[in-house]
Amino acid sequence: MISSFVNLSSDRNLVRDVMVRLNLIQPDESVRVTEITGGVSSILLKIEGQSETYCLKQALPSLKVARLWSAPVDRVYTEIAWLQLAARIDPSCVPKVLGVDRPTNSFVMSFLPPE
């Protein structure tokens, strides 16, 4: 439902809450959050913790295109299922899904550097 969408890129405290809820960081751990630009259907955030770097992905209810193009945010669960299936076939070909946060329709995966 679009009315309940919470944009994680607009509040770094919400990102911290997700990471703590998924047991990926400690409540007192400092993190650096950087938005990864270029996508049209999702928010991508690079999260640098004290010992690990993560990528958080959240489906957008409206795509970033010229015309209004709404899309169900629950499509993120199909992507998660695909990544998990691909990882069972060849774990080296996809990032590892580290946690799923249903309240925000987002998930955290291992961060793959651009190179």
Side-chain angles (χ1 to χ4, degrees):
M1 182 189 292
I2 293 174
S3 64
S4 66
F5 177 75
V6 177
N7 184 328
L8 290 175
S9 70
S10 67
D11 188 337
R12 302 308 193 223
N13 289 325
L14 293 175
V15 173
R16 170 181 291 290
D17 292 346
V18 169
M19 298 299 288
V20 169
R21 193 165 42 243
L22 296 176
N23 294 313
L24 295 172
I25 66 167
Q26 298 300 311
D28 61 345
E29 186 175 340
S30 63
V31 294
R32 181 175 165 192
V33 180
T34 308
E35 188 161 1
I36 300 169
T37 59
V40 297
S41 65
S42 301
I43 293 166
L44 287 171
L45 301 174
K46 178 181 179 183
I47 302 165
E48 297 172 87
Q50 292 175 349
S51 62
E52 186 93 27
T53 300
Y54 306 94
C55 181
L56 183 145
K57 187 169 186 178
Q58 181 185 36
L60 289 169
S62 296
L63 279 57
K64 299 180 210 172
V65 294
R67 292 202 166 160
L68 179 61
W69 187 346
S70 297
V73 291
D74 62 355
R75 70 186 185 279
V76 73
Y77 302 108
T78 302
E79 181 175 357
I80 293 165
W82 184 89
L83 287 169
Q84 291 171 329
L85 173 65
R88 286 195 299 274
I89 297 166
D90 183 355
S92 68
C93 72
V94 292
K96 183 178 181 181
V97 175
L98 302 171
V100 177
D101 190 62
R102 290 194 175 274
T104 60
N105 293 304
S106 67
F107 70 100
V108 177
M109 59 187 144
S110 54
F111 180 78
L112 300 178
E115 62 278 354

